[in-house]
Amino acid sequence: MKLLKLALRNLLGARLRTWLNVIVLSFAFVTIIGLQGVYEGMNRQAMQAEIEAEYGGGQFWHPEYNPYDPLTLQEAHDSPPPEIQEMINKGEATPILILQGTAYPQGRFYPVLLKGIDPGQKILNIPSFVLNDQEEEFPALIGTRMAESLKIKAGDKVTLRWRDVNGTFDAREATIVHVMRTTVQAIDQGQIWLPLEKLQQLAGMEKAATIVVVDKNIKNIPENAGWVLKDQKTLLRDIQELVKTKTVGSSILYIILMLLAMLAIFDTQVLSIWRRRKEIGTLMALGMTRWSVVKLFTLEGALHGILATLVGAIYGLPLLTLFARKGWGMPEAVDSYGFAIGERIYPIYSGGLILGTTLLVLIVTTIVSFLPSRRIAKMKPTEALRGKIQ
Amino acid sequence: MENNQLILTQKLTKIYPMGQHQLYALKEVDLSFGPGEFAGLVGPSGSGKTTFLNIVGSLDVPSQGQVEVLGRRIETLTHKEAAELRKKHIGFIFQTFNLLPVYTVFENVEFPLILLGLPSSERRQRVMEALEWVRLADRANSRPAQLSGGECQRVAIARAIVKKPALILADEPTANLDAENSHNILQIMARLNQELGITFIFATHDEKVIGYLKRKITLVDGRVTKDETYSSQPGMEGHHEAS
């Protein structure tokens, strides 16, 4: 308490030097929390969007289905086993038939996945109801990225080709009834959504599906229902890994920020010890032990961290709250980032993030302050009083 | 060693290694100081005055010999014990004042009391008493940079006396002061010696200081060459009578 009082007095007495360090450190502190919050928000938003539009509460996969091997698609379809069919009948799950196909927009050809979905399904956040269009014989739904790739728009017609159940090529002209805007690339890029029954009928695969998506609100999904169960956690693993990779990238930025701030503290400490060597001698003459002086100087340095937290809170709290409310506008370029990013990212600042960052700043500041202060322990009071450092 | 002495040195020797050679800062110094003394070590630069004060003040240790201060053997003290001795019983006054620049006058004087862990109310009372002694109570909120040299040294005196030490060691306290300020602070110190019974030991070659001493010890090349005491009171410049 005694040392704390003296350290605080010294620190505040140094005025501008202290406040410059504190401002630099608080900037690093707020930026780290801000950036981490954006990544946390991005992570949550991406996962939420993936759950709502693609994964639901989990998926049953046909045993032959491998999303990374398109050649398996020809064999990966069948009527869902009874237990899964019962879930479909109860509205707890929705089947999706996936076929490898080719689109021929304006004479060009484009490999696509044809996905049959029940137009009346409520499990996934996809506007499948537009496929109920009675006026069009073969309505199709695509996303904005797909529309951009194929250079087509709502109302355009595009020829689609696929292999039926016997491996024979078949083709039909589909009408794009709607172009949906979605943050989830996995339901947009390279995919054309069609009415399930129509696709089953055209491919000769009545009642067949490739995957069955379970409602996200269903808690106890049967594990041994006949098809391979991919729970939500497993399905989200890839995106979590991706986010982790991006987070490592962002860490470099805040490591640099922290290094800059720590360099300022370290520099201040070294200069302080050099400039105040007579004062150090005086403190010893007045009755402080060498280690008390080391502790005093370390505490002075560490208090930069505490002051930076307080100063950071003064301008950081309103600033970060504003970002959390208004969101962080994302440029269109980040659409190619690899996972679902909305037009605005809403940062999430968890208690753990704030507490963790605060502790990190305080611990690192203390260590950085202690390192140069150790020299004091080697000082002789008589030499220090004469302004010398061993 | 005798117990009625405040300070007792026996064959005190301090050697500094200087490359291949050794420099004897003090050579077998035998001195003793009783309570209430107003004594000075006098001699040219390099005669060992400051070294003697540093050892007696437990800031340094002897190379050979024995030093007893307030019943404690300096050469056997740990860093912590030496710091404790300084904190409780010894006050220092330096040539360059050595005030803490970011502290106010009040805070500078209060500093030793914070180290002693005294409560805030007692600290305030004792600081103001000490500042009254040096006639600086009205400058309590000033910072050292706002004070003259004489005022700074008066703050240093207040800082030295505030913990009511048994011993004050003053190293060239008037070297940076003009004649008027020198006399002012010497009169203050003489009065503190007389009224509070604090022992003062000076290291000086300033004639003004010498004029106030009750006892003058002359050091030449680390040896005591003369040890004179005077019957007249300090401050009676020119009226010294050696005994």
Side-chain angles (χ1 to χ4, degrees):
Chain A
M1 196 62 199
K2 194 163 60 183
L3 282 180
L4 183 68
K5 188 187 172 104
L6 295 174
L8 200 59
R9 201 178 263 185
N10 287 342
L11 204 64
L12 297 177
R15 295 173 186 182
L16 188 63
R17 189 160 45 89
T18 297
W19 292 115
L20 281 175
N21 278 328
V22 165
I23 287 166
V24 170
L25 192 56
S26 74
F27 177 68
F29 176 67
V30 171
T31 308
I32 289 170
I33 292 179
L35 278 179
Q36 283 290 81
V38 168
Y39 273 91
E40 185 64 31
M42 193 191 296
N43 188 1
R44 294 255 189 102
Q45 261 176 263
M47 286 203 286
Q48 196 57 35
E50 294 284 353
I51 289 167
E52 285 179 2
E54 192 185 5
Y55 297 146
Q59 294 177 348
F60 288 107
W61 288 7
H62 184 279
E64 297 294 322
Y65 176 59
N66 178 357
Y68 302 110
D69 182 2
L71 297 176
T72 62
L73 287 174
Q74 191 59 33
E75 303 300 325
H77 52 80
D78 212 339
S79 300
E83 200 172 346
I84 299 175
Q85 187 58 52
E86 198 184 324
M87 290 179 79
I88 296 170
N89 295 343
K90 285 201 286 189
E92 293 175 352
T94 189
I96 293 174
L97 175 64
I98 308 173
L99 294 178
Q100 180 70 42
T102 311
Y104 294 89
Q106 295 148 5
R108 292 172 288 122
F109 84 96
Y110 200 95
V112 292
L113 285 179
L114 302 178
K115 287 188 168 178
I117 187 169
D118 176 8
Q121 65 82 29
K122 306 278 184 210
I123 308 290
L124 294 176
N125 184 20
I126 294 174
S128 54
F129 60 89
V130 298
L131 299 172
N132 246 339
D133 197 326
Q134 301 297 325
E135 290 179 14
E136 297 295 339
E137 190 190 345
F138 196 26
L141 165 70
I142 57 172
T144 48
R145 295 174 190 83
M146 188 64 184
E148 177 72 18
S149 298
L150 299 182
K151 306 283 183 223
I152 54 176
K153 57 187 187 301
D156 285 356
K157 292 188 183 301
V158 60
T159 305
L160 304 177
R161 190 186 72 161
W162 63 90
R163 278 176 193 272
D164 66 13
V165 70
N166 301 312
T168 311
F169 281 113
D170 197 357
R172 193 64 62 96
E173 195 167 67
T175 306
I176 305 300
V177 292
H178 183 66
V179 177
M180 65 178 165
R181 180 175 283 277
T182 175
T183 60
V184 183
Q185 293 185 34
I187 61 162
D188 178 344
Q189 195 70 47
Q191 312 199 21
I192 296 180
W193 294 86
L194 300 161
L196 177 67
E197 267 187 52
K198 189 80 180 173
L199 188 63
Q200 285 170 333
Q201 186 191 336
L202 289 171
M205 301 174 184
E206 274 80 9
K207 306 285 181 193
T210 307
I211 62 172
V212 175
V213 183
V214 181
D215 192 312
K216 66 180 178 192
N217 299 316
I218 303 295
K219 297 295 171 205
N220 299 316
I221 305 172
E223 280 185 34
N224 303 311
W227 281 11
V228 181
L229 173 65
K230 298 285 178 181
D231 62 17
Q232 199 183 66
K233 203 174 164 187
T234 309
L235 294 167
L236 287 170
R237 194 173 294 151
D238 281 354
I239 193 171
Q240 281 170 336
E241 286 299 318
L242 196 63
V243 168
K244 208 180 279 177
T245 314
K246 304 285 182 198
T247 310
V248 169
S250 78
S251 304
I252 294 169
L253 179 65
Y254 64 74
I255 286 171
I256 291 171
L257 279 168
M258 277 296 279
L259 279 178
L260 283 174
M262 291 306 127
L263 191 67
I265 302 288
F266 187 84
D267 206 31
T268 303
Q269 287 292 94
V270 172
L271 266 175
S272 186
I273 291 165
W274 172 254
R275 215 170 44 85
R276 294 166 63 189
R277 54 203 186 279
K278 271 183 99 167
E279 184 184 324
I280 291 167
T282 307
L283 296 176
M284 291 180 192
L286 291 174
M288 287 184 83
T289 60
R290 294 172 191 188
W291 277 104
S292 296
V293 183
V294 172
K295 278 190 247 171
L296 178 67
F297 273 67
T298 305
L299 204 54
E300 277 182 36
L303 279 173
H304 280 104
I306 292 172
L307 287 181
T309 309
L310 296 175
V311 169
I314 291 170
Y315 71 87
L317 273 177
L319 193 71
L320 296 180
T321 308
L322 183 75
F323 277 132
R325 285 202 183 140
K326 299 273 179 190
W328 192 298
M330 287 285 122
E332 280 189 16
V334 297
D335 202 30
S336 57
Y337 217 53
F339 55 90
I341 297 177
E343 287 169 359
R344 300 196 81 76
I345 293 289
Y346 293 91
I348 295 170
Y349 312 110
S350 63
L353 169 65
I354 293 168
L355 197 68
T357 310
T358 309
L359 277 176
L360 175 80
V361 168
L362 293 182
I363 291 168
V364 175
T365 313
T366 306
I367 293 169
V368 167
S369 305
F370 171 70
L371 293 176
S373 305
R374 281 180 312 168
R375 295 187 66 178
I376 295 168
K378 294 177 186 161
M379 281 186 186
K380 288 181 184 170
T382 49
E383 302 276 300
L385 276 168
R386 280 155 54 196
K388 286 186 178 176
I389 285 183
Q390 289 77 35
Chain B
M1 288 204 177
E2 298 165 40
N3 289 328
N4 57 347
Q5 296 298 332
L6 205 63
I7 300 166
L8 189 60
T9 72
Q10 288 181 338
K11 297 194 181 303
L12 167 59
T13 301
K14 182 69 184 178
I15 305 166
Y16 292 110
M18 300 286 282
Q20 299 285 325
H21 306 283
Q22 290 184 322
L23 176 75
Y24 279 78
L26 292 170
K27 282 182 198 163
E28 300 191 339
V29 174
D30 294 325
L31 282 172
S32 63
F33 297 87
E37 286 212 35
F38 200 77
L41 300 163
V42 179
S45 294
S47 58
K49 307 184 294 289
T50 300
T51 304
F52 184 87
L53 287 196
N54 284 342
I55 292 172
V56 167
S58 75
L59 290 170
D60 206 348
V61 287
S63 305
Q64 292 161 19
Q66 294 177 355
V67 181
E68 192 175 295
V69 178
L70 294 156
R72 291 166 185 82
R73 291 275 291 279
I74 296 295
E75 65 275 15
T76 64
L77 296 180
T78 61
H79 289 306
K80 202 174 173 186
E81 288 166 341
E84 199 67 16
L85 177 67
R86 293 193 295 272
K87 183 166 79 179
K88 288 182 178 164
H89 303 293
I90 303 173
F92 288 89
I93 298 169
F94 302 98
Q95 176 181 339
T96 49
F97 324 131
N98 290 30
L99 299 179
L100 305 173
V102 298
Y103 290 5
T104 61
V105 166
F106 184 94
E107 289 165 343
N108 263 286
V109 179
E110 186 190 24
F111 190 90
L113 303 181
I114 292 177
L115 294 184
L116 285 171
L118 296 186
S120 170
S121 56
E122 190 178 347
R123 288 204 305 266
R124 168 159 285 280
Q125 185 200 333
R126 283 170 72 163
V127 169
M128 292 316 291
E129 271 175 24
L131 288 175
E132 292 289 348
W133 264 98
V134 297
R135 300 189 301 275
L136 277 177
D138 56 332
R139 304 300 302 270
N141 293 320
S142 303
R143 287 183 188 267
Q146 298 168 310
L147 304 179
S148 68
E151 286 172 325
C152 281
Q153 197 59 299
R154 277 149 60 194
V155 176
I157 294 169
R159 183 177 66 184
I161 63 165
V162 74
K163 60 187 175 190
K164 297 176 181 161
L167 174 66
I168 288 181
L169 303 171
D171 190 1
E172 306 279 11
T174 56
N176 282 347
L177 303 179
D178 58 28
E180 188 186 343
N181 274 311
S182 295
H183 282 295
N184 279 341
I185 70 136
L186 284 164
Q187 277 165 8
I188 291 168
M189 288 191 277
R191 200 155 56 88
L192 285 163
N193 171 253
Q194 282 177 338
E195 295 183 23
L196 300 181
I198 299 171
T199 300
F200 279 82
I201 302 179
F202 296 86
T204 185
H205 50 249
D206 184 349
E207 288 300 326
K208 295 186 288 296
V209 179
I210 294 167
Y212 281 81
L213 298 177
K214 285 182 189 171
R215 180 182 174 195
K216 184 174 89 174
I217 299 152
T218 307
L219 282 174
V220 178
D221 292 337
R223 285 184 188 280
V224 177
T225 57
K226 224 189 275 183
D227 187 349
E228 304 161 279
T229 53
Y230 304 103
S231 57
S232 59
Q233 296 297 309
M236 304 299 284
E237 200 177 354
H239 294 279
H240 277 157
E241 290 172 22
S243 60

